[in-house]
Amino acid sequence: MSDSAGLELALRVLREGLLLTLLVSAPVLLAMWLTGAITGALQSITQVQDHVVGFVPRLLVMLLALVLVGPHLGAQVVRFAEVVFAAVGTVR
Protein backbone atom coordinates (compact mmCIF):
# COMPACT_ATOMS: atom_id res chain seq x y z
CA MET A 1 0.00 0.00 0.00
CA SER A 2 1.41 3.39 -0.92
CA ASP A 3 1.95 6.27 1.48
CA SER A 4 -0.97 8.24 0.07
CA ALA A 5 -3.29 5.26 0.49
CA GLY A 6 -2.13 4.84 4.09
CA LEU A 7 -2.71 8.53 4.75
CA GLU A 8 -6.15 8.32 3.16
CA LEU A 9 -7.00 5.33 5.34
CA ALA A 10 -5.81 7.15 8.47
CA LEU A 11 -7.89 10.21 7.64
CA ARG A 12 -10.96 8.06 6.94
CA VAL A 13 -10.50 6.23 10.26
CA LEU A 14 -10.13 9.55 12.07
CA ARG A 15 -13.26 10.98 10.41
CA GLU A 16 -15.31 7.85 11.13
CA GLY A 17 -14.02 7.76 14.71
CA LEU A 18 -15.06 11.35 15.35
CA LEU A 19 -18.47 10.70 13.82
CA LEU A 20 -18.88 7.58 15.95
CA THR A 21 -17.96 9.61 19.04
CA LEU A 22 -20.72 12.09 18.25
CA LEU A 23 -23.26 9.34 17.59
CA VAL A 24 -22.36 7.43 20.75
CA SER A 25 -22.49 10.46 23.02
CA ALA A 26 -25.62 12.02 21.50
CA PRO A 27 -28.35 9.92 23.20
CA VAL A 28 -26.94 10.44 26.69
CA LEU A 29 -26.21 14.14 26.15
CA LEU A 30 -29.65 14.80 24.68
CA ALA A 31 -31.36 13.00 27.57
CA MET A 32 -29.33 14.98 30.10
CA TRP A 33 -30.00 18.25 28.24
CA LEU A 34 -33.74 17.63 28.17
CA THR A 35 -33.74 16.69 31.86
CA GLY A 36 -31.71 19.80 32.70
CA ALA A 37 -34.14 22.02 30.81
CA ILE A 38 -37.14 20.48 32.57
CA THR A 39 -35.58 20.68 36.04
CA GLY A 40 -34.41 24.23 35.33
CA ALA A 41 -37.93 25.24 34.38
CA LEU A 42 -39.33 23.58 37.49
CA GLN A 43 -36.72 25.29 39.66
CA SER A 44 -37.57 28.68 38.23
CA ILE A 45 -41.30 28.07 38.65
CA THR A 46 -40.99 26.85 42.24
CA GLN A 47 -38.05 29.19 43.06
CA VAL A 48 -36.09 26.30 44.58
CA GLN A 49 -32.48 27.11 43.71
CA ASP A 50 -30.71 24.07 45.16
CA HIS A 51 -27.94 22.56 43.00
CA VAL A 52 -28.82 19.01 44.02
CA VAL A 53 -32.30 19.40 42.53
CA GLY A 54 -30.72 19.90 39.11
CA PHE A 55 -27.86 17.42 39.48
CA VAL A 56 -29.58 14.28 40.78
CA PRO A 57 -32.21 13.97 38.03
CA ARG A 58 -29.54 14.42 35.34
CA LEU A 59 -27.39 11.78 36.98
CA LEU A 60 -30.29 9.33 37.15
CA VAL A 61 -31.30 10.00 33.54
CA MET A 62 -27.71 9.52 32.42
CA LEU A 63 -27.52 6.15 34.16
CA LEU A 64 -30.89 5.11 32.73
CA ALA A 65 -29.87 6.15 29.22
CA LEU A 66 -26.60 4.22 29.51
CA VAL A 67 -28.45 1.12 30.69
CA LEU A 68 -30.99 1.37 27.85
CA VAL A 69 -28.75 2.24 24.90
CA GLY A 70 -25.36 1.19 26.27
CA PRO A 71 -25.30 -2.29 24.71
CA HIS A 72 -26.16 -0.92 21.26
CA LEU A 73 -23.58 1.86 21.53
CA GLY A 74 -20.95 -0.55 22.81
CA ALA A 75 -21.60 -2.89 19.89
CA GLN A 76 -21.04 -0.01 17.47
CA VAL A 77 -17.72 0.84 19.11
CA VAL A 78 -16.63 -2.81 19.01
CA ARG A 79 -17.55 -3.09 15.31
CA PHE A 80 -15.56 0.07 14.57
CA ALA A 81 -12.56 -1.25 16.49
CA GLU A 82 -12.70 -4.57 14.61
CA VAL A 83 -12.70 -2.77 11.26
CA VAL A 84 -9.84 -0.49 12.30
CA PHE A 85 -7.70 -3.37 13.61
CA ALA A 86 -8.36 -5.35 10.43
CA ALA A 87 -7.35 -2.34 8.33
CA VAL A 88 -4.12 -1.80 10.32
CA GLY A 89 -2.80 -5.08 8.95
CA THR A 90 -3.07 -3.79 5.39
CA VAL A 91 -0.99 -0.62 6.00
CA ARG A 92 2.76 -0.85 5.47
Side-chain angles (χ1 to χ4, degrees):
M1 188 176 268
S2 68
D3 287 339
S4 65
L7 180 61
E8 182 181 327
L9 177 65
L11 290 174
R12 194 173 81 216
V13 166
L14 181 64
R15 185 183 70 234
E16 293 295 324
L18 289 172
L19 181 62
L20 181 65
T21 302
L22 287 173
L23 292 175
V24 166
S25 63
V28 176
L29 290 175
L30 287 174
M32 289 178 61
W33 175 76
L34 185 61
T35 305
I38 291 170
T39 55
L42 290 174
Q43 280 181 324
S44 66
I45 290 169
T46 59
Q47 295 182 353
V48 175
Q49 298 301 322
D50 189 13
H51 295 289
V52 176
V53 174
F55 177 73
V56 172
R58 281 191 302 237
L59 181 65
L60 293 176
V61 166
M62 179 192 66
L63 291 174
L64 180 66
L66 285 175
V67 167
L68 292 177
V69 297
H72 175 67
L73 299 177
Q76 286 182 338
V77 172
V78 168
R79 276 192 301 262
F80 176 74
E82 288 173 348
V83 169
V84 169
F85 288 139
V88 166
T90 63
V91 177
R92 292 181 190 228

